[in-house]
Amino acid sequence: DQQVKQNSPSLSVQEGRISILNCDYTNSMFDYFLWYKKYPAEGPTFLISISSIKDKNEDGRFTVFLNKSAKHLSLHIVPSQPGDSAVYFCAASQDTGKLIFGQGTTLQVKP
Amino acid sequence: DTGVSQDPRHKITKRGQNVTFRCDPISEHNRLYWYRQTLGQGPEFLTYFQNEAQLEKSRLLSDRFSAERPKGSFSTLEIQRTEQGDSAMYLCASSPRGPSSYNEQFFGPGTRLTVL
């Protein structure tokens, strides 16, 4: 039972344009959501997070939006840069803080 | 202290052998997590420590798996009688004190296990 889903395995955008990565979840008890970026042969690196009591959180070029009624969150990267090319994971948390991850979306930003 | 470290980075073993991995969390982080990641999937939760107490174990963690954090600092994950299905990246993460749900976890580089 996949509680967190990223339905797009890959995304390709042009440098300078906006990248939008999507994530859906099924468990309404999740109260904290995070996005991680992962390069090959490295562990995931924390990017940005949002509490379930908010609907938007912004940090520089990265903005996360949360739609609780739709059980959907998205990560916007603008402007996209070639160095943003990586695998992006969304994750959800409740109670103990253990993270439930989606399958990941591979982002390619073309120069 | 620059981050979470894991040792070894790579391990190749034969089926049936035992392996042990080590994780050193960020200093003063009292929570430590183990995850497993297979190709094309996100990390899957295995187990979680708060200080030296193991508070939760996933059903993914069979009897062949055991984890310890004896002094509330570093942790070890041992797999006994390895099987080919154990081949994966084993990730360790730590997080600081605070409301348990609201802490970002900082991941190490992982240990890649290959069982032949």
Side-chain angles (χ1 to χ4, degrees):
Chain A
D1 179 29
Q2 191 77 25
Q3 297 187 70
V4 179
K5 294 182 181 180
Q6 294 175 256
N7 292 317
S8 297
S10 62
L11 174 68
S12 181
V13 300
Q14 207 67 33
E15 180 180 5
R17 306 296 290 269
I18 185 171
S19 296
I20 300 176
L21 297 98
N22 294 302
C23 179
D24 296 294
Y25 62 95
T26 57
N27 189 341
S28 59
M29 299 302 292
F30 289 143
D31 58 4
Y32 198 56
F33 302 89
L34 309 90
W35 283 94
Y36 282 83
K37 179 169 72 173
K38 188 179 186 302
Y39 294 117
E42 296 183 10
T45 302
F46 169 74
L47 261 181
I48 191 169
S49 59
I50 188 167
S51 162
S52 60
I53 62 174
K54 296 185 176 181
D55 55 17
K56 177 182 175 181
N57 188 27
E58 191 172 354
D59 184 2
R61 298 186 296 115
F62 302 92
T63 303
V64 57
F65 296 92
L66 176 62
N67 183 334
K68 285 185 66 178
S69 61
K71 294 189 178 68
H72 177 84
L73 66 156
S74 61
L75 174 68
H76 292 210
I77 306 173
V78 57
S80 301
Q81 299 173 355
D84 296 329
S85 298
V87 180
Y88 288 78
F89 292 98
C90 71
S93 171
Q94 65 170 115
D95 299 339
T96 62
K98 74 180 185 186
L99 298 179
I100 310 297
F101 283 86
Q103 308 96 309
T105 296
T106 300
L107 173 66
Q108 183 183 23
V109 180
K110 297 180 178 178
Chain B
D1 188 281
T2 56
V4 178
S5 62
Q6 293 187 244
D7 183 68
R9 294 291 305 274
H10 304 273
K11 179 69 176 179
I12 299 174
T13 191
K14 293 182 179 179
R15 187 176 54 185
Q17 298 294 305
N18 299 343
V19 294
T20 300
F21 309 141
R22 176 179 169 125
C23 170
D24 287 88
I26 294 172
S27 298
E28 299 180 356
H29 279 193
N30 68 334
R31 295 191 181 91
L32 187 148
Y33 301 80
W34 285 98
Y35 295 84
R36 180 173 68 187
Q37 184 178 18
T38 53
L39 197 62
Q41 300 297 318
E44 296 176 291
F45 170 78
L46 292 179
T47 190
Y48 149 63
F49 290 85
Q50 182 159 307
N51 299 314
E52 65 275 8
Q54 187 174 19
L55 298 186
E56 187 173 351
K57 291 170 61 173
S58 164
R59 61 176 181 270
L60 291 175
L61 219 63
S62 75
D63 292 345
R64 298 184 297 106
F65 288 72
S66 62
E68 294 183 342
R69 195 183 182 196
K71 297 182 179 179
S73 57
F74 73 92
S75 175
T76 58
L77 177 68
E78 180 183 16
I79 309 174
Q80 296 182 328
R81 305 180 304 282
T82 53
E83 302 173 355
Q84 288 184 326
D86 297 331
S87 296
M89 175 75 83
Y90 289 84
L91 294 162
C92 176
S94 68
S95 67
R97 303 177 187 276
S100 60
S101 294
Y102 286 54
N103 287 322
E104 295 81 17
Q105 294 178 21
F106 298 86
F107 283 81
T111 294
R112 178 162 297 283
L113 173 65
T114 301
V115 181
L116 302 176

